[in-house]
Amino acid sequence: MALISLLAVSAIIFWCVELLPGDAAERILGRNATPESLALLREKLHLNLSAGERYLRWLSALLSGDLGTSIVADRPVLDYISSRIANTALLSGFALLLYIPVSIALGVITAIYRGKMIDHAISAIVIVFMCLPEFVIGILLISIFAIKLAWLPPLALIGQAQSFGQLIQLIALPTVTIVAAMSAYAVRMMRESLIEVLESSYVLMARLKGLPTWRVLLFHALPNALGPAINITALNVAWMIGGVVVVEAVFEFPGIGRLMVDSISHKDVPVILAISMVMTGAYIATNLVADILVILLNPKLR
Amino acid sequence: MYGKDILRISRRKVLAGTGAALAAGPLSAALHVPKSWAQAKTLRIAAGEADGATGTMDPALSTADPDAARISLVFERLVVLDDTFSAAPQLATSWETNDKGDEWTFKLKDGVKFHDGEAFTAKHVIYTFKRLLDPKTASPGASSMSAIDPEGITALDDLTVRFKLKAATVEFPALIANRFTYILREGQPESELRTAGIGTGPFKVKHFVPGEDVSTYVKNENYWRPGLPKVDAVELRAIPEESARLAAIQSGQIDLVWDLGRAGVEDLKKNADIKVVTTRSPFVLTMSCWADTPPFDDVRVRQAMKYVVDREQMLQLVLRGYGNIGDDNPVAPWVQYALQVETRARDIEKAKALLAEAGHPDGIDIELYTSETTPGFIEMATLYQAMASEADIRVKLNKAPSNDYWSAVWLKQPFVCSSWSGRGADDALAAPYLSTSDWNETHWKRPEFDAFINEARATTDVAKRTELYQKAQQLLRDDGGAIISMFPDALGATRANVSGWKLHPQQSTKDFSEVEIG
């Protein structure tokens, strides 16, 4: 099933890119193009083959494990995208590390203090972050923490990092931006389901048995309340892998999203296809992991 | 409501939690980044134009601004242009021509070495130019140097090169001082030229992979100019996002940027950590219409379109005063051979009269293409729309995507915004307006104009040559299809501890050899 999805995605993406006007040769030469230089470059890049032929060439190479060569950068696609994938994985990893405790903690606090000041305050902040586009959050964070206070560097130029500490500093602002944008739904979801669970009779039962508060919360209520939040998290992770392109642009982070945008604007088909395969794969994988987690947490589904 | 009751957390616990959070405060102080964020003697520069997978350091194929920076770190040319676009020596020490101007002999500098130790001699010059002109190289620069006969480039001895030209070209030394003619090392494999070129320049490539975010260069210890370069290493990256570029230089994450939008400059000027660097440039911002397509095929319409422009207002509103007024002539008044006449003043009545004479008593409706591809296009087009409407020239704006503006709109639509980087008089006139040019963006083809240029190129007498170039400019100004209302200054900035950097008005020339930190 997953393989069929991947194949279908690759074909759809390929034809969509075909529909875009112009070709890679024009995009590379830009305004310095002359008819002769265009013709030569097209031949060199095999752009004179028909679209069908190019797709089949790509597909047959893929089946033998070859992702092809970036026609613009003139280097193997695998080598080209792997460093970007690693960067995005790094950023996503840090974001997840921060996101999970923050979402759970805020979800629990708002559920326990439902209707109190602190619930209103947190809910309001969360909704504001939910409504603000990531680039606004990003630019706000830059102007406060990098320009005004000068605590952190404004751009995530991770090539400048000389140590792990510097890496953390460089990556802090984009991480916080992503978490701010991502946590909103999860916190809301946690709050709703936790409220529901806390009002159920088995929680009352647990309490009546004389269990301490933290035990009731951690081992009885939370696992049952996590289900919906995990599904949201899976969607969030998929979004993060492909969709943080805006965050990457604001912080000049060398990730996979920006590479995708660049490749589309250059019509670099092998790179576009490879990245969409990776993103589709990641999407399928995170959903699979989420489903498994939900099943593990809920004995009824086992 | 049992759940809520059960799980109430005592006030004491909350207070304890808050205390812990407060105690974490000093931690943030430990995170404080030193303001400079710098290591010693590495110059970190940022380009404003994107530098993606198309990046190269092959001089024959360079198109973008980051390419130009890379190339001028590593390579050098025979001849460079000075601030007024006159030829000045670099790897050549002197040159002379025969009486007709179709044979040029260059003396080369002795004792210059390539990065790998190879001595710089005539054969490298011959190799470079032959490769550049070879159709197989497909260099976009070849057509502008078509006057050179590839077979006529010969070495008289190790340090003397002679160029035989197909047509007399008095301005030949200036003609070859462009972004394509950096001298390569003969014998270096073609496959290495894109990413690991060997030149004679002040820096050697350390790491450059197209599509990766940063390229690095180290000092050439055997550089021929004594005491240079003054920094040990250079880091080059592109930060196309304007706000990000400004944040980077303000926080000291970057030491030097060479293109700034007008909007951010005022803020930077107030910042004591930053030095704003500007230079007068004949960079051309133009709106160009096809002189062979109605309604633009009538010279009176073209003149009316020029008379509606309030040039001073253009300068103030589009460029915030950082620039100079243009007079529909691509040769700025301070450049050699420039035509000196009074700038065309705004005259709405005259514009209306010209339109009526041309058979448009109710005015005309035209469509102007614009884009974000060059800073200022959108503002210029919007302001022009407002100015022109007073003379019943109704301009409809069409904002095209910037990523393929130069391939899909420019040269394809009859009325577009366009720009030309600063050039000397001959190049500025010939590249866009000669009837044989590939880039004739106004479809304006006048045999008299071509004749003036070609005659000027063959005229050795300076006064006569000046007169011919000026006649060409006068004709273009009165009859041509280009509305050139301003020449934006080049704007850049460095951290306050950086010195010795000058912005060159030729956009592709970027010399960092004299830049010093601290």
Side-chain angles (χ1 to χ4, degrees):
Chain A
M1 197 56 212
L3 284 179
I4 296 172
S5 313
L6 282 172
L7 192 65
V9 167
S10 76
I12 293 169
I13 300 270
F14 184 86
W15 291 112
C16 288
V17 176
E18 272 310 303
L19 290 177
L20 293 172
D23 68 15
E26 281 181 4
R27 302 294 171 88
I28 293 170
L29 291 175
R31 74 179 294 194
N32 288 318
T34 56
E36 304 84 56
S37 57
L38 273 176
L40 271 163
L41 191 58
R42 284 200 178 112
E43 195 173 335
K44 194 173 136 209
L45 304 178
H46 302 296
L47 293 175
N48 39 11
L49 297 177
S50 77
E53 269 177 285
R54 274 181 284 131
Y55 179 66
L56 289 178
R57 274 172 76 114
W58 175 81
L59 197 61
S60 63
L62 181 71
L63 292 179
S64 58
D66 178 11
L67 279 171
T69 305
S70 158
I71 55 180
V72 181
D74 196 21
R75 53 192 281 225
V77 170
L78 187 63
D79 161 51
Y80 190 14
I81 65 173
S82 51
S83 68
R84 299 297 192 105
I85 292 175
N87 288 346
T88 294
L90 182 81
L91 181 60
S92 309
F94 276 114
L96 263 185
L97 279 182
L98 192 61
Y99 158 88
I100 291 173
V102 164
S103 309
I104 293 181
L106 291 182
V108 169
I109 292 172
T110 48
I112 299 171
Y113 293 104
R114 179 159 47 118
K116 295 275 174 55
M117 260 317 280
I118 185 160
D119 173 27
H120 291 314
I122 291 177
S123 295
I125 292 170
V126 157
I127 285 173
V128 166
F129 278 135
M130 199 154 108
C131 299
L132 281 179
E134 302 92 81
F135 66 89
V136 175
I137 303 177
I139 291 173
L140 265 176
L141 290 179
I142 289 180
S143 52
I144 297 171
F145 293 101
I147 307 290
K148 269 257 143 31
L149 302 173
W151 287 355
L152 291 165
L155 304 187
L157 308 173
I158 53 173
Q160 289 187 342
Q162 309 273 314
S163 65
F164 186 72
Q166 285 189 356
L167 181 68
I168 299 278
Q169 293 179 2
L170 284 162
I171 214 169
L173 291 182
T175 306
V176 171
T177 308
I178 293 175
V179 171
M182 233 168 42
S183 302
Y185 291 102
V187 170
R188 300 297 293 167
M189 201 56 88
M190 268 307 294
R191 180 179 179 274
E192 297 313 314
S193 52
L194 194 59
I195 285 172
E196 201 175 303
V197 171
L198 289 181
E199 288 179 359
S200 67
S201 42
Y202 84 90
V203 171
L204 176 61
M205 177 66 190
R207 179 61 189 146
L208 290 176
K209 278 197 309 193
L211 292 176
T213 305
W214 63 270
R215 258 197 91 100
V216 176
L217 198 55
L218 272 187
F219 295 108
H220 296 253
L222 254 186
N224 280 317
L226 274 177
I230 285 176
N231 282 323
I232 291 279
T233 302
L235 289 177
N236 272 334
V237 171
W239 167 80
M240 193 160 61
I241 288 164
V244 291
V245 49
V246 179
V247 179
E248 289 177 7
V250 170
F251 293 99
E252 287 297 318
F253 184 83
I256 196 90
R258 263 177 67 218
L259 181 60
M260 182 69 154
V261 173
D262 287 350
S263 305
I264 291 173
S265 70
H266 294 134
K267 288 200 76 168
D268 195 345
V269 178
V271 180
I272 298 172
L273 287 174
I275 298 176
S276 31
M277 292 300 91
V278 171
M279 287 183 182
T280 317
Y283 195 85
I284 294 171
T286 48
N287 276 296
L288 188 69
V289 170
D291 286 347
I292 294 172
L293 273 181
V294 171
I295 292 171
L296 287 181
L297 282 171
N298 189 343
K300 275 189 277 180
L301 294 175
R302 261 180 242 161
Chain B
M1 286 292 135
Y2 297 107
K4 204 171 129 201
D5 257 353
I6 299 166
L7 294 170
R8 175 168 299 155
I9 294 175
S10 77
R11 184 152 299 161
R12 183 171 299 159
K13 284 183 195 162
V14 173
L15 280 174
T18 319
L22 285 176
L27 261 183
S28 57
L31 275 175
H32 193 288
V33 178
K35 272 217 161 167
S36 70
W37 190 260
Q39 316 115 25
K41 302 294 181 191
T42 294
L43 178 69
R44 293 153 312 162
I45 52 189
E49 190 177 347
D51 181 27
T54 50
T56 179
M57 59 181 301
D58 182 343
L61 300 175
S62 95
T63 51
D65 228 18
D67 295 343
R70 265 190 288 275
I71 289 164
S72 44
L73 285 164
V74 173
F75 298 102
E76 292 177 314
R77 294 168 283 186
L78 294 182
V79 181
V80 293
L81 295 178
D82 67 13
D83 298 358
T84 61
F85 289 82
S86 308
Q90 191 171 41
L91 287 178
T93 51
S94 64
W95 47 82
E96 55 188 27
T97 176
N98 62 354
D99 291 344
K100 281 169 67 191
D102 63 357
E103 202 177 275
W104 287 84
T105 311
F106 289 80
K107 281 268 170 223
L108 308 182
K109 189 169 276 296
D110 195 8
V112 176
K113 287 201 161 32
F114 282 93
H115 296 158
D116 63 348
E118 164 93 4
F120 162 70
T121 58
K123 68 175 183 179
H124 303 289
V125 178
I126 296 171
Y127 164 73
T128 300
F129 278 90
K130 283 195 169 164
R131 173 176 181 271
L132 183 58
L133 296 167
D134 186 344
K136 280 210 291 288
T137 309
S139 169
S143 72
S144 68
M145 284 172 284
S146 57
I148 307 174
D149 174 10
E151 297 312 312
I153 313 172
T154 48
L156 300 188
D157 59 51
D158 262 4
L159 293 173
T160 315
V161 184
R162 176 166 291 169
F163 291 82
K164 277 209 171 66
L165 308 183
K166 294 175 193 159
T169 310
V170 174
E171 290 292 290
F172 184 69
L175 179 75
I176 59 167
N178 60 43
R179 67 183 303 160
F180 306 105
T181 54
Y182 286 82
I183 303 299
L184 309 172
R185 183 199 183 295
E186 190 212 19
Q188 184 174 27
E190 189 83 8
S191 59
E192 288 178 10
L193 289 178
R194 182 170 182 186
T195 56
I198 298 173
T200 60
F203 294 92
K204 300 190 273 194
V205 199
K206 187 174 166 211
H207 177 82
F208 166 53
V209 180
E212 270 180 25
D213 68 322
V214 61
S215 51
T216 50
Y217 308 84
V218 291
K219 180 177 184 171
N220 173 9
E221 299 289 350
N222 302 316
Y223 189 51
W224 58 273
R225 284 152 79 195
L228 300 181
K230 293 187 171 169
V231 294
D232 301 320
V234 174
E235 254 182 50
L236 169 72
R237 53 166 48 79
I239 306 182
E241 199 69 38
E242 172 86 20
S243 62
R245 204 158 64 253
L246 287 172
I249 187 134
Q250 280 172 305
S251 68
Q253 223 175 346
I254 290 294
D255 300 313
L256 186 156
V257 294
W258 66 72
D259 48 359
L260 287 176
R262 263 69 196 161
V265 172
E266 292 304 320
D267 260 2
L268 286 188
K269 280 201 154 169
K270 287 180 213 142
N271 190 332
D273 296 333
I274 309 273
K275 278 194 283 199
V276 172
V277 180
T278 67
T279 198
R280 182 174 69 167
S281 165
F283 185 100
V284 173
L285 273 182
T286 164
M287 290 169 285
S288 292
C289 64
W290 285 353
D292 61 355
T293 304
F296 313 118
D297 56 348
D298 190 315
V299 62
R300 290 165 295 196
V301 172
R302 296 198 294 274
Q303 286 180 344
M305 288 166 64
K306 293 173 185 173
Y307 272 113
V308 300
V309 184
D310 183 338
R311 287 153 207 269
E312 182 59 36
Q313 207 180 10
M314 277 278 182
L315 176 67
Q316 293 308 328
L317 293 181
V318 177
L319 302 179
R320 301 187 187 218
Y322 292 103
N324 289 277
I325 285 178
D327 187 34
D328 308 319
N329 173 2
V331 185
W334 62 89
V335 174
Q336 196 186 9
Y337 308 128
L339 176 69
Q340 309 290 346
V341 289
E342 203 176 320
T343 309
R344 199 192 304 268
R346 187 171 201 233
D347 193 336
I348 295 293
E349 288 316 310
K350 190 151 188 182
K352 279 184 177 167
L354 281 164
L355 281 180
E357 254 179 71
H360 303 289
D362 303 324
I364 52 172
D365 290 275
I366 53 179
E367 185 171 24
L368 172 61
Y369 279 79
T370 184
S371 158
E372 273 168 2
T373 184
T374 299
F377 273 7
I378 304 281
E379 296 88 338
M380 174 172 72
T382 313
L383 199 55
Y384 185 73
Q385 181 186 40
M387 290 173 175
S389 69
E390 286 180 45
D392 297 322
I393 298 176
R394 290 170 293 273
V395 182
K396 188 175 154 233
L397 296 185
N398 191 330
K399 189 182 160 198
S402 54
N403 60 4
D404 60 356
Y405 186 79
W406 299 111
S407 58
V409 175
W410 181 65
L411 298 184
K412 304 252 161 59
Q413 294 296 338
F415 189 30
V416 301
C417 292
S418 178
S419 60
W420 293 87
S421 59
R423 288 150 201 261
D426 184 276
D427 201 11
L429 291 167
Y433 306 109
L434 217 52
S435 61
T436 50
S437 166
D438 284 332
W439 300 321
N440 189 328
E441 62 181 21
T442 56
H443 290 200
W444 183 73
K445 292 171 184 172
R446 292 290 179 274
E448 316 92 276
F449 179 83
D450 295 5
F452 286 144
I453 300 287
N454 289 328
E455 214 185 315
R457 285 175 175 177
T459 305
T460 39
D461 179 59
V462 179
K464 248 187 116 192
R465 186 159 73 237
T466 308
E467 195 191 325
L468 285 161
Y469 276 127
Q470 291 186 340
K471 279 183 178 168
Q473 292 167 56
Q474 185 77 50
L475 184 64
L476 178 68
R477 171 188 184 270
D478 296 340
D479 190 69
I483 306 169
I484 299 166
S485 54
M486 54 201 151
F487 300 102
D489 290 345
L491 292 183
T494 67
R495 299 286 298 169
N497 62 351
V498 174
S499 57
W501 183 55
K502 275 192 294 194
L503 257 172
H504 197 280
Q506 184 184 35
Q507 197 186 355
S508 61
T509 297
K510 304 188 190 298
D511 186 351
F512 302 106
S513 60
E514 291 173 43
V515 178
E516 205 170 351
I517 301 178

